[in-house]
Amino acid sequence: MKTILLPYGKTKLELNLPEERLAGILESHAHDFKPEKSESELVRDALMNPIDSPRLKELVVGKKNIVMIASDHTRPVPSKVILPEIMKEIESGNPDATLTILIATGFHRLTTRDELIDKFGEDMVDHPKIRYIIHDSTNDEDMAYLGILPSGGKLIINKLAVEADLLISEGFIEPHFFAGFSGGRKSVLPGISSRTTVLANHCSKFIADPHSRAGSLDENPMHKDMLWAAETAKLQFICNVLLDADKKVIAAYAGHLNNAHRKGCEFMNQLAGVKAIHSDIVITTNGGYPLDQNIYQSVKGMTAAEACCNEGGVIIIATSCSDGHGGESFYRTFLDEPDNQKIMDQFLATDAEHTIPDQWESQILCRMLLKFKVIFVTDAPEQMIRDMHMDYAHNLDEAIAMADEYLGKKDSKITVIPDGIAVIVNPSDK
């Protein structure tokens, strides 16, 4: 028997599989990478040695309106580690400077004070030289128009970023299921963009593009829009980190918004790239808290399984989803239409100007539902899972038994992906 621990919320689930059924385990090599320095030292070193950029302490000289874009509550960015080091840099170059932190909620719900404290620490949330503003993509009064994206959509972002005399960002780099990688330019689009801009960028045509996949940047149409948006917004300096399975910093990159990000992506690709092990059953997760708070976010972890599950097979995902579905329109897309093919046909017939909220997540989920049975092991309500055309299991053993019954055999090989958002699954011969 093989025992594998799967991250689930703030705990771990124990998966016990007979050795003969295990096809393989796909894990990021980040688990094996052990930096010689502490998390704070890694961030500090990156800030002291920025890539293709002056140091932050030089950039802040004479600046009165410094804005830093920071990730929201759905991202495991260790801001408690990053922000103190950034503040040291800012204060060393400009002792009188104050900092506005603009929380990049993108299309997510607004972040609460408790979530800010959990992310930054109470001392930083109450810091006298820092104020926090939560971006609301639906509030047109907060927005400013900056031009037309390469794809033809309008670039409209939070005016606090436009009015800044220095715009910087923090974030983390991981494989992203349609933007290639997180981090870097993504803090602007979708991070602090308007609803109009996010909907145009996340259109069905781009989602359907085969280059809009984890690990892909160069030919990715979504990345091209995102990079143009960050450059146009004059994002001058970034600090991005890479994390291990315990959400600890193992590397940090600071400096030029694209060059520093690319360096981090190159290293992440070395760590996260794995060769697909195809099987009839694939078990995955969404990496635990905070990324598995809802069904919406959990679609990401499912795409790693999609890359190695035989068509007609079963994807099992263990994901807490303590916050429910994560998007009303996302949920209602499936609740209101029982036929997955009709849902997909409607998406593909929708042009960029008429993209509906959460369509991209629904489209990717629908793509998988058309090819696989999907079973959720989750804290979300059972009826909610069934409303979204998926099956519900109380635990992993029950999920495997359901998969066996569906496939009509009890010896199907099983591939396990302990952290579905931490890997880039590359093609392999079946």
Side-chain angles (χ1 to χ4, degrees), residues 403-414:
D404 287 343
E405 182 177 359
Y406 173 77
L407 294 169
K409 52 184 178 179
K410 295 186 176 182
D411 59 354
S412 296
K413 290 291 188 178
I414 300 173

Side-chain angles (χ1 to χ4, degrees), residues 92-335:
S92 67
N94 187 348
D96 298 323
T98 58
L99 176 66
T100 296
I101 294 182
L102 182 57
I103 303 297
T105 53
F107 221 71
H108 309 149
R109 68 165 173 80
L110 303 187
T111 302
T112 67
R113 174 177 166 81
D114 285 345
E115 287 166 336
L116 288 178
I117 290 172
D118 186 58
K119 181 177 178 58
F120 293 95
E122 192 163 8
D123 58 333
M124 283 293 164
V125 171
D126 294 329
H127 195 290
K129 290 187 175 182
I130 304 175
R131 69 165 179 158
Y132 294 80
I133 304 294
I134 313 298
H135 172 70
D136 181 353
S137 66
T138 65
N139 191 344
D140 293 339
E141 293 180 359
D142 290 345
M143 305 298 165
Y145 172 76
L146 291 185
I148 300 296
L149 295 162
S151 62
K154 296 177 181 178
L155 176 59
I156 306 170
I157 70 170
N158 196 297
K159 63 185 179 183
L160 284 175
V162 177
E163 294 167 354
D165 52 16
L166 179 65
L167 183 63
I168 65 176
S169 72
E170 57 118 71
F172 84 128
I173 297 171
E174 67 165 357
H176 189 278
F177 67 139
F178 59 69
F181 292 92
S182 65
R185 75 286 182 242
K186 205 168 175 287
S187 61
V188 173
L189 173 58
I192 58 163
S193 293
S194 75
R195 168 193 176 98
T196 299
T197 299
V198 175
L199 292 177
N201 177 257
H202 288 30
C203 64
S204 64
K205 178 182 178 182
F206 282 5
I207 292 296
D209 192 296
H211 298 103
S212 299
R213 297 290 188 274
S216 173
L217 290 179
D218 291 333
E219 301 301 322
N220 189 325
M222 309 191 83
H223 167 70
K224 290 178 182 179
D225 266 9
M226 291 173 179
L227 182 57
W228 191 90
E231 292 172 340
T232 303
K234 296 183 172 61
L235 180 59
Q236 288 186 251
F237 190 94
I238 70 168
C239 181
N240 282 187
V241 298
L242 276 63
L243 308 176
D244 64 13
D246 297 318
K247 309 298 187 284
K248 300 294 185 183
V249 177
I250 57 172
Y253 298 84
H256 187 274
L257 86 93
N258 188 38
N259 298 353
H261 182 247
R262 281 280 187 159
K263 286 286 187 182
C265 291
E266 288 171 9
F267 187 46
M268 174 52 73
N269 197 41
Q270 293 176 30
L271 295 176
V274 294
K275 190 161 285 189
I277 300 174
H278 295 273
S279 60
D280 288 336
I281 302 173
V282 182
I283 299 175
T284 186
T285 79
N286 216 54
Y289 182 86
L291 294 171
D292 72 347
Q293 290 183 76
N294 54 54
I295 300 170
Y296 180 94
Q297 292 293 334
S298 298
V299 172
K300 298 176 182 179
M302 293 167 62
T303 60
E306 176 190 23
C308 52
C309 189
N310 295 330
E311 191 155 346
V314 181
I315 292 174
I316 297 171
I317 181 165
T319 176
S320 172
C321 300
S322 57
D323 205 22
H325 51 65
E328 185 64 26
S329 60
F330 170 63
Y331 170 63
R332 297 204 65 87
T333 293
F334 297 93
L335 177 67

